[in-house]
Amino acid sequence: MTTAEPRSVKIVRHDASVPKAMKQSDEADVVELKGAAKTRQAISDAARELFAHEEYANASVRNIASKAGADPALVIRYFGSKEQLFLETVQFEGFFELAMAGPLEGLGERIVSALLSDQRDAGFSAYRAMMRASGSEVIRRRLLEAIHEMFVEPLAPRLKGPDAALRARLVAAQLAGLIDGIAILEDAELAATDRKRLSEVYGAALQGLIQP
Amino acid sequence: MTTAEPRSVKIVRHDASVPKAMKQSDEADVVELKGAAKTRQAISDAARELFAHEEYANASVRNIASKAGADPALVIRYFGSKEQLFLETVQFEGFFELAMAGPLEGLGERIVSALLSDQRDAGFSAYRAMMRASGSEVIRRRLLEAIHEMFVEPLAPRLKGPDAALRARLVAAQLAGLIDGIAILEDAELAATDRKRLSEVYGAALQGLIQP
DNA sequence: GAAGCATGTCAACACTGTTGACATATGTGG
DNA sequence: CCACATATGTCAACAGTGTTGACATGCTTC
């Protein structure tokens, strides 16, 4: 993002070097990591936390390193670049499978409800972080992929009627708009609104795309 | 955004100093600006252009200054900070008044159509820039205000039925989701979709919020 | 012409991501 | 057990960033 490179071209110099000491101990579930593997893990944890709470630009490699008790140079050695560190640590987990699973009837409301109810903080902060960092080509693409994988691909084949693929994509767009308001712009009114009513109202509009 | 301050607190040190030479010549429409006013204008123009095409973080004060043929220190002197320069230059113009004006019937489709058809590039890039820079508290708030002023306030009083204010806010959210896809994430499929069909389909979902 | 202020220039500060050279630990083959 | 190789960690430096304060120049007004 910064230095010594021509502004628009991005060259990845060396790949993220996974420490050799890193092997899955087949035994314990909670592995006591040693040496480099432990350091890498510490960096990863620190990065996840900082990227969730700070802006991309403000979560500095030096901050991450210090929080992990490691040297900034190690961060780059292990992950290649700050951008790759971001990509490896900030991710969506399986997110809407549950809500997605049910019948088409009432799906709109169920999705919105799932979005609001649970502790979706992890997903929210991932979306927020990627959205704000979407000036980076790779991150932008990654977010776009995630949207397609999570919504469009599972949904499109199930929709009946014309423009199924388009409508599936627009379902995702409509949801994105809601997350924008709640998680990125932190609209106080939106946050204060009764979840159930919000699910009903916005879910109904979603349903209009699902079953026109 | 950067230096010498404790990370979270933001102190504005000196106000943007408007050059004294700046007076509206009451005569000509296109005023030939002189001295400082001209410089300020040049900086403003350069900033507008760079913020539209580059990310906030990548549009450096030094770049802006050099594009304007001025010294970086002058940029700060005139605008107070990079953040304030952003706020003063990146703005929405009157945007949806036209589409908003008509009857409630078919309003959803008209709004989407207005969003897509014209050259809305200026508005798109303003939204994109502010969204990506929304890690800054002031910028986040400004964007939120703009959304309320442009959509919620004009729309809410016109909506009939329950939850009018909420529904107006959700209309804005739904639109934001579409702009996300087109202008920020640059979804190729979305961009390739026939505008008319898109207006119809998404507009119908919007209409479900406008007239449930 | 001199004082005063507007405007412009410059070098420096503390920060950023990233790199390359070095030091140390760790493990392996003889 | 030593020697060697490699994995891991440390450090200083580079070019870039936003911002500041000290200085130089210009223009106005007494």
Side-chain angles (χ1 to χ4, degrees), chain B residues 2-3 13 60-62 76-77 81-82:
Chain B
T2 317
T3 176
R13 254 169 263 267
S60 74
V61 171
R62 282 173 172 85
I76 301 297
R77 187 96 54 83
S81 71
K82 181 185 178 182

Side-chain angles (χ1 to χ4, degrees), chain A residues 8-104:
Chain A
S8 47
V9 186
K10 172 130 315 182
I11 299 166
V12 174
R13 253 169 263 270
H14 50 228
D15 306 314
S17 88
V18 177
K20 306 301 169 179
M22 203 153 182
K23 314 187 159 198
Q24 294 287 38
S25 160
D26 300 326
E27 298 294 329
D29 287 76
V30 179
V31 195
E32 186 66 19
L33 295 173
K34 288 173 192 173
K38 189 171 166 184
T39 306
R40 215 190 118 103
Q41 184 66 33
I43 293 172
S44 177
D45 290 344
R48 215 182 316 276
E49 159 127 9
L50 275 182
F51 281 137
H53 294 68
E54 296 280 340
E55 229 206 328
Y56 180 80
N58 278 359
S60 74
V61 171
R62 281 174 174 84
N63 275 179
I64 293 170
S66 118
K67 192 181 181 76
D71 191 277
L74 265 191
V75 175
I76 301 296
R77 250 238 264 296
Y78 282 161
F79 292 88
S81 71
K82 182 186 178 182
E83 197 176 44
Q84 286 179 45
L85 173 62
F86 181 92
L87 286 172
E88 282 198 37
T89 52
V90 176
Q91 297 198 357
F92 301 94
E93 66 263 45
F95 211 28
F96 286 98
E97 280 90 1
L98 262 154
M100 234 37 158
L104 286 187

Side-chain angles (χ1 to χ4, degrees), chain B residues 13-208:
Chain B
R13 254 169 263 267
H14 50 226
D15 308 314
S17 87
V18 177
K20 305 300 171 180
M22 203 155 181
K23 315 186 159 199
Q24 293 287 38
S25 160
D26 300 326
E27 299 295 328
D29 287 75
V30 178
V31 196
E32 185 66 20
L33 295 174
K34 288 172 189 172
K38 189 170 164 184
T39 306
R40 215 191 118 103
Q41 185 65 33
I43 292 172
S44 178
D45 291 345
R48 214 183 317 275
E49 160 129 6
L50 274 183
F51 282 137
H53 292 69
E54 297 281 340
E55 231 208 327
Y56 181 80
N58 277 359
S60 74
V61 171
R62 282 173 172 85
N63 273 177
I64 293 170
S66 117
K67 191 180 182 75
D71 192 277
L74 264 190
V75 175
I76 301 297
R77 187 96 54 83
Y78 282 160
F79 292 87
S81 71
K82 181 185 178 182
E83 197 176 45
Q84 287 178 44
L85 172 62
F86 181 92
L87 286 173
E88 282 199 36
T89 52
V90 176
Q91 297 197 357
F92 301 94
E93 66 263 46
F95 210 31
F96 287 99
E97 281 90 2
L98 262 154
M100 230 43 155
L104 285 186
E105 280 75 25
L107 180 57
E109 190 173 334
R110 283 208 313 289
I111 295 180
V112 180
S113 192
L115 196 80
L116 297 174
S117 60
D118 265 0
Q119 273 338 29
R120 293 309 190 189
D121 283 352
F124 277 177
S125 68
Y127 178 81
R128 187 195 315 125
M130 296 185 88
M131 202 70 184
R132 284 180 178 157
S134 65
S136 150
E137 190 75 6
V138 258
I139 294 176
R140 203 205 80 218
R141 262 197 250 277
R142 167 70 63 89
L143 180 51
L144 197 51
E145 274 172 34
I147 288 176
H148 272 83
E149 283 171 21
M150 288 198 315
F151 291 102
V152 185
E153 285 166 23
L155 196 55
R158 299 182 60 198
L159 296 186
K160 304 183 195 328
D163 300 317
L166 174 61
R167 279 156 50 214
R169 172 64 248 246
L170 291 179
V171 165
Q174 195 176 332
L175 281 173
L178 182 58
I179 309 183
D180 281 0
I182 294 176
I184 299 188
L185 300 181
E186 300 175 32
D187 189 316
E189 298 181 33
L190 223 41
T193 305
D194 179 57
R195 286 172 182 175
K196 198 167 163 222
R197 229 188 329 162
L198 217 168
S199 306
E200 286 168 11
V201 177
Y202 211 53
L206 267 177
Q207 199 66 28

Side-chain angles (χ1 to χ4, degrees), chain A residues 108-129:
Chain A
E109 190 173 334
R110 283 210 312 288
I111 295 181
V112 180
S113 192
L115 196 78
L116 297 173
S117 60
D118 265 1
Q119 274 336 29
R120 293 309 192 189
D121 283 352
F124 277 176
S125 68
Y127 178 81
R128 187 194 316 124

